[in-house]
Amino acid sequence: MTGSIGDPTAFDPKRQTIIRYARTAFMSEGYAGARIEPIAREAGVSTATLYALFAGKSELFTAVIDDAADQFSRQMARVRACDGDARKQLTGFAEAYADFMGDGFVRSIFRLVMAERPRFEDTARRFFEKGRSEFGLTLIGVLKDHVERGGLKNIEKPSWAAGELMGMIEHPVFFVPLVTGDEVKATRTHAQVVAHAIETFMARYGA
């Protein structure tokens, strides 16, 4: 696949510009409504140039998803690099996870999969599994590290504890907007959701 992860052309500036405008188009118009010509025009390239980099709309959509997954991987790298006590590092993780799950693009992908499952199931599954595994494995590592350092109680099942923290964030920032619609304003900000989740988690597992 042209420009897939690991491809030396993946970070070509022109390609990244096209992906940026394509992402906006897919979010606002959906897959069926998004058109190649306006995307090329907004990106400042010819249609021929766009087709030289992407074989068609399906490949462009896949590239948009893969690019978003790479962004979330870089977010997790920053969380892993962040030092500090358990509360500080878990807060950094929770903020990054809330940003991920609260991203309208993530919900857009989920909705597109539901609408066109045969076409994009594998691509979207790869995106979600990458996102969850990146976040889940990172959090499990953070928990184990702080148990060893004495900042958290001994956690018998780190994967369960990780799921508890992630679940407290997923429900209000992803599932509620998914059901009620993006136009419905949340009663809590992401910062409030994160603060409550961390307080609850530390009350259970804090040393």
Side-chain angles (χ1 to χ4, degrees), residues 37-192:
E37 292 79 6
I39 292 173
R41 184 168 58 251
E42 290 293 324
V45 301
S46 67
T47 303
T49 296
L50 189 151
Y51 278 117
L53 292 169
F54 306 96
K57 187 162 69 169
S58 178
E59 185 170 304
L60 179 57
F61 182 73
T62 298
V64 167
I65 294 176
D66 287 341
D67 181 72
D70 284 343
Q71 289 181 24
F72 300 134
S73 294
R74 291 191 290 273
Q75 279 184 288
M76 284 299 92
R78 289 194 294 272
V79 170
R80 289 190 290 269
C82 176
D83 201 5
D85 61 19
R87 181 180 291 272
K88 179 180 177 181
Q89 198 163 17
L90 289 172
T91 298
F93 168 87
E95 289 171 346
Y97 192 59
D99 286 344
F100 169 72
M101 296 305 293
D103 191 330
F105 184 64
V106 175
R107 290 193 296 275
S108 294
I109 291 174
F110 189 87
R111 292 185 181 113
L112 286 168
V113 171
M114 296 302 292
E116 302 190 49
R117 183 178 297 274
R119 188 196 301 264
F120 293 116
E121 184 172 10
D122 290 343
T123 299
R125 189 187 305 279
R126 184 171 70 251
F127 173 82
F128 280 111
E129 288 179 353
K130 180 178 177 63
R132 284 193 63 89
S133 66
E134 287 277 354
F135 281 97
L137 292 175
T138 294
L139 180 54
I140 289 170
V142 169
L143 296 179
K144 289 180 177 179
D145 178 56
H146 284 290
V147 167
E148 292 179 2
R149 291 161 59 178
L152 295 173
K153 297 176 183 176
N154 183 49
I155 300 176
E156 183 178 353
K157 296 285 187 180
S159 61
W160 292 6
E164 291 168 5
L165 179 56
M166 293 168 75
M168 284 190 285
I169 296 167
E170 286 174 11
H171 178 75
V173 306
F174 176 75
F175 289 109
V176 171
L178 184 71
V179 172
T180 60
D182 293 334
E183 67 278 2
V184 177
K185 299 299 181 183
T187 57
R188 290 188 292 168
T189 66
H190 286 184
Q192 289 172 324

Side-chain angles (χ1 to χ4, degrees), residues 11-45:
F11 297 102
D12 174 80
K14 189 173 295 183
R15 182 178 186 278
Q16 290 303 114
T17 299
I18 294 170
I19 287 175
R20 185 170 68 252
Y21 283 102
R23 174 171 175 162
T24 300
F26 287 128
M27 286 181 63
S28 61
E29 306 294 336
Y31 179 81
R35 295 171 53 239
I36 290 294
E37 292 79 6
I39 292 173
R41 184 168 58 251
E42 290 293 324
V45 301

